[in-house]
Amino acid sequence: MPSTRHPYSTGDGHIPLSPSSSTSSFDEEDVNYRMAPNWCAYRHLLEARRVRLDTCRDVKQWYQDYWDSLLDQGQHVTKDLPGYARACSAPDENELCKDAGLPDNLFRGTFCPTGRKVVIKAVHLYSREYAAVRYLSSSPIRANPMNHTIPIYDLIEVPADNLVFIVMEEWSPQLVAEVPCTLRSFLGALRQCIEHIVFMHSHHMAHLDISVRNLLTDYNHHYAYIDFENCRRYEGIPHPRIERLRNTDPPPETERGECTDPYKADVWGLGVLILRTCAMTGYNVPELIAFTRPLLHKDFERRPTALAVLKAFDVWAANTFSEKRLNARCLAA
C-alpha cells in the first residue's frame, strides 16, 4: 500500500478518521467533499497499476454478453438501450465510456491480472473514507471473518492532486441475489450486516450511514458495507458524542438538533435497515419486526450496543424458527 503521511498521523501509521479539536486549522469539509476527477487524465496512471477503465468496446461487449445470457434463458431482448447507443455512437472504440448512472467520483473498469470487474472510486487523500477503507483493508484487519468490507484490489495515491483511487470489486446493490430465497439466507444476510458493525465498533469506528443503499452482495452469500464518507473513529474517547449527521436515516435525537452516541446512531441505522429489508424482500416476519424495537428506542442511551444486538440475534434466531420455516421461500419480489 502507498505510505503517504497524513498531516495528522500519529507517526505509527494510524490515521484518525476525525481530527481532534487541537487541529483547528484542518477543515473537514475541505477534504470530505465528493471528488469529480478528469478520468481521462488519470487513465495511463491507472493502467500502469493494471486497472483498465471501461471503454466503448468494453461497454458494447458487456451488453452483448448480457443479451446472450437472456436469449439462453428464452427471454426477449431489446437493444434500444441508451448505454449501448452511447457506446456505439463514439468514433473510437478505445474512448472511455463512463456509466451515466454513476456519480462523477465512480468509474467502472477491469482489474487486469484477474479480469475481475471493479469500480474505481476517487476520494480525497485526507478524507474520512480513505482513512477508513485503508484501515479496514490493512493486514491483519482484513482477514478477520467479522470484517465485511468489500474486497479492495488497490489504493492508488496521487499526492500531487490530493487524490486517491480506491479500486474495489464490483458487487451488486441487490440485497438478496435471488428471489424467491429462503428465510435462512435472509437472516444470514442480516447477521453479516450486524456483525460488521460489531467489528467496526470493536475498533472504535462508527459507520454513521447504515442503509440499504450502502450494502452490496457478491451473489455468493457475502454482504459488505460501502461508503465510509461519514465514518469516524473514537479511539481513546470513552463516551463520544456527535451532533450533526448527514446520513440516510438519522436517529430522532439528531433530527431534533441534539447530540447522540455515534455507536447508538449505528444501532438505530441497523433497526431501520432490518425493517427496510423486510419490506424489500417480502419477509414481513412479525418476530423480526418486534426484534427491532429496542434498536429504535427514542432514547439512544436505552438502545442496546451492537454486540448485544448480535448476541440477541443469534439466540433469537436459534429459538424462534423451525427448520421448515427457515427453509421456506419468500415469493415476493
Side-chain angles (χ1 to χ4, degrees), residues 2 8-9 16 24 44 55 89 93 107-108 116 127 147 149 151 156 169 189 223 240 273 276 291 296 303:
Y8 298 107
S9 169
S24 57
H44 296 302
T55 63
S89 65
E93 283 195 328
F107 210 108
R108 299 190 191 279
R116 294 298 297 265
S127 63
N147 183 357
T149 306
I156 304 173
E169 197 166 285
Y223 299 85
L273 175 73
R276 292 198 190 284
F291 178 83
L296 299 173
R303 291 173 206 150

Side-chain angles (χ1 to χ4, degrees), residues 173-181 185-186 189 217 219 223 280-281 283:
Q174 189 173 343
L175 176 66
V176 179
E178 184 180 354
V179 176
C181 70
S185 296
F186 177 59
T217 179
Y219 288 132
Y223 299 85
M280 287 171 54
T281 60
Y283 277 120

Side-chain angles (χ1 to χ4, degrees), residues 93-106:
E93 283 195 328
N94 289 317
E95 281 188 18
L96 295 186
C97 190
K98 193 177 187 309
D99 186 338
L102 293 180
D104 291 340
N105 63 335
L106 296 177

Side-chain angles (χ1 to χ4, degrees), residues 202-237:
S202 72
H203 289 268
H204 314 288
M205 301 171 71
H207 187 283
L208 296 176
D209 196 11
I210 297 171
S211 67
V212 173
R213 68 181 181 83
N214 287 337
L215 189 64
L216 303 179
T217 179
D218 67 349
Y219 288 132
N220 194 29
H221 306 293
H222 298 124
Y223 299 85
Y225 285 103
I226 57 169
D227 286 352
F228 295 89
E229 296 169 2
N230 286 344
C231 182
R232 287 167 172 79
R233 194 172 187 193
Y234 297 98
E235 191 167 24
I237 304 175

Side-chain angles (χ1 to χ4, degrees), residues 1-4 6 15 31 33-37 39 42 45-46 49 105-106 119-131 133-134 152 154-168:
M1 297 284 181
S3 57
T4 299
H6 189 284
I15 300 175
V31 299
Y33 63 92
R34 179 168 288 179
M35 307 288 281
W39 290 95
Y42 298 99
L45 171 66
L46 292 168
R49 297 288 284 266
N105 63 335
L106 296 177
V119 172
I120 303 95
K121 184 171 189 177
V123 301
H124 197 285
L125 183 64
Y126 303 132
S127 63
R128 289 189 293 261
E129 175 139 26
Y130 181 43
V133 169
R134 183 175 180 176
I152 302 296
D154 203 353
L155 299 171
I156 304 173
E157 294 186 351
V158 189
D161 298 332
N162 286 328
L163 181 65
V164 180
F165 293 105
I166 300 173
V167 183
M168 66 188 89

Side-chain angles (χ1 to χ4, degrees), residues 249-271:
D249 296 304
E253 59 272 16
T254 60
E255 291 278 81
R256 296 190 298 265
E258 301 170 4
C259 292
T260 189
D261 180 330
Y263 303 126
K264 298 301 182 70
D266 275 353
V267 170
W268 171 274
L270 284 172

Side-chain angles (χ1 to χ4, degrees), residues 57 69-70 82 158 165 192 199 201 235 286 321:
R57 179 186 292 109
S69 69
L70 292 181
V158 189
F165 293 105
Q192 289 184 48
F199 177 77
H201 289 187
E235 191 167 24
F321 304 105

